[in-house]
């Protein structure tokens, strides 16, 4: 399963775009990149996932580099409610059997 | 459609006792994952159940165990409780088609 590395914390001003990076240099060819977020000890919530193409949904955009060694989650207009811990994980094939979360990035959105 | 449900929401036990936590996955989901999240830390993978069988476990001692029932609900048992077992225990089920995990709100276990 892919080991991921994320910055410990980031800040963002309300209304601005939040760009959260993730390194996953050991990701294998059949592993997707998934992003989740966890708001203050609630259960984590799925945000988005992708394999190699950029993806967008109503919550966020996901940009994956061509070599797939890193990705960026973009919250286009951050709000105070986006303050949370954001996790990226790699999963696919047999690695679905041990879905491992790292420490994540604490994103704080300021007024 | 009901999400993943966990019970109890809170549980207080003393050292040496046993705790039992329960999880009901989303209807149609057959896999259940258990995670431990100690205060201020990330999610630590505990156990994975699929089709009634334990398929994988994380780096936890044998006193952490569980089972999955024919209706795909699951139970996590923690025997001989220690103070460091105090944590939020999260359960998740997976939508196989997309690999998306759906988490419950967790059971907070406090060991005194």
């Amino acid at each position: 399963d892919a080991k991921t590395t994320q910055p410990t914390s980031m800040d963002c001003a309300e209304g601005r775009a939040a760009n959260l990076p993730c390194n996953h240099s050991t990701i294998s060819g059949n592993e997707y990149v998934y992003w989740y977020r966890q708001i203050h000890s609630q259960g984590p919530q799925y945000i988005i996932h992708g394999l190699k193409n950029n993806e967008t949904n109503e919550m966020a955009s996901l940009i994956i580099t061509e070599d797939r060694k890193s990705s960026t989650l973009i919250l286009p207009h951050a709000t105070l409610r986006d303050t949370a811990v954001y996790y990226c994980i790699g999963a696919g094939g047999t690695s679905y059997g041990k879905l491992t979360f790292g420490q994540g990035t604490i994103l704080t959105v300021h007024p | 459609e009901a999400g993943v449900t966990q019970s109890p929401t809170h549980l207080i036990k003393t050292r040496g006792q046993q705790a039992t936590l329960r999880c009901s996955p989303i209807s149609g989901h057959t896999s259940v994952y258990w995670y431990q999240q100690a205060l201020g830390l990330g999610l630590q993978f505990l156990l994975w159940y699929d089709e009634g069988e334990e398929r994988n476990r994380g780096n936890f001692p044998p006193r952490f165990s569980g089972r999955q029932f024919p209706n795909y609900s699951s139970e996590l048992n923690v025997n001989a409780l220690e103070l460091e077992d105090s944590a939020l225990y999260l359960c998740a089920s997976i939508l196989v088609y997309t690999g998306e995990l759906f988490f419950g709100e967790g059971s907070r276990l406090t060991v005194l």
Side-chain angles (χ1 to χ4, degrees):
Chain A
D1 50 322
K3 177 175 170 53
T4 60
T5 305
Q6 300 176 253
T8 303
S9 62
M10 295 183 66
D11 291 334
C12 178
E14 189 176 20
R16 304 297 295 270
N19 298 290
L20 291 89
C22 178
N23 287 321
H24 34 77
S25 58
T26 61
I27 198 167
S28 62
N30 68 341
E31 287 186 315
Y32 289 77
V33 179
Y34 290 83
W35 283 83
Y36 291 82
R37 73 180 182 184
Q38 185 176 26
I39 298 173
H40 192 54
S41 293
Q42 296 178 16
Q45 174 193 25
Y46 165 85
I47 301 172
I48 198 168
H49 75 283
L51 185 62
K52 51 185 176 181
N53 296 323
N54 299 337
E55 302 287 345
T56 296
N57 64 19
E58 64 278 4
M59 290 182 69
S61 294
L62 175 60
I63 309 296
I64 303 173
T65 58
E66 193 169 340
D67 62 9
R68 299 207 333 118
K69 292 185 177 181
S70 65
S71 62
T72 301
L73 177 75
I74 301 172
L75 307 178
H77 305 288
T79 71
L80 299 179
R81 287 176 296 179
D82 292 322
T83 294
V85 181
Y86 288 77
Y87 299 96
C88 81
I89 67 171
T94 57
S95 70
Y96 281 119
K98 190 173 183 178
L99 294 171
T100 303
F101 289 73
Q103 295 300 309
T105 296
I106 301 170
L107 175 68
T108 303
V109 181
H110 297 285
Chain B
E1 178 183 324
V4 175
T5 58
Q6 292 188 243
S7 64
T9 306
H10 293 88
L11 188 61
I12 299 175
K13 293 286 187 178
T14 57
R15 273 191 315 176
Q17 287 188 311
Q18 178 198 42
T20 298
L21 310 176
R22 297 178 178 82
C23 171
S24 291
I26 289 174
S27 177
H29 292 189
T30 62
S31 277
V32 169
Y33 296 81
W34 286 97
Y35 290 88
Q36 181 197 65
Q37 187 173 36
L39 193 63
L41 299 181
L43 284 75
Q44 302 296 314
F45 170 75
L46 256 170
L47 290 159
W48 172 45
Y49 289 95
D50 182 53
E51 297 284 356
E53 299 287 332
E54 180 182 307
R55 303 294 185 181
N56 206 354
R57 66 181 292 128
N59 189 25
F60 282 85
R63 58 192 186 81
F64 287 83
S65 65
R67 53 181 170 165
Q68 187 178 32
F69 299 98
N71 66 353
Y72 304 115
S73 67
S74 178
E75 191 175 270
L76 174 69
N77 295 297
V78 188
N79 294 318
L81 285 166
E82 300 178 3
L83 297 178
E84 53 265 34
D85 296 334
S86 294
L88 180 68
Y89 288 84
L90 291 159
C91 167
S93 66
I94 190 168
L95 178 61
V96 173
Y97 177 67
T98 64
E100 177 184 346
L101 287 172
F102 293 81
F103 283 86
E105 291 305 309
S107 294
R108 184 163 296 283
L109 172 64
T110 301
V111 182
L112 303 176

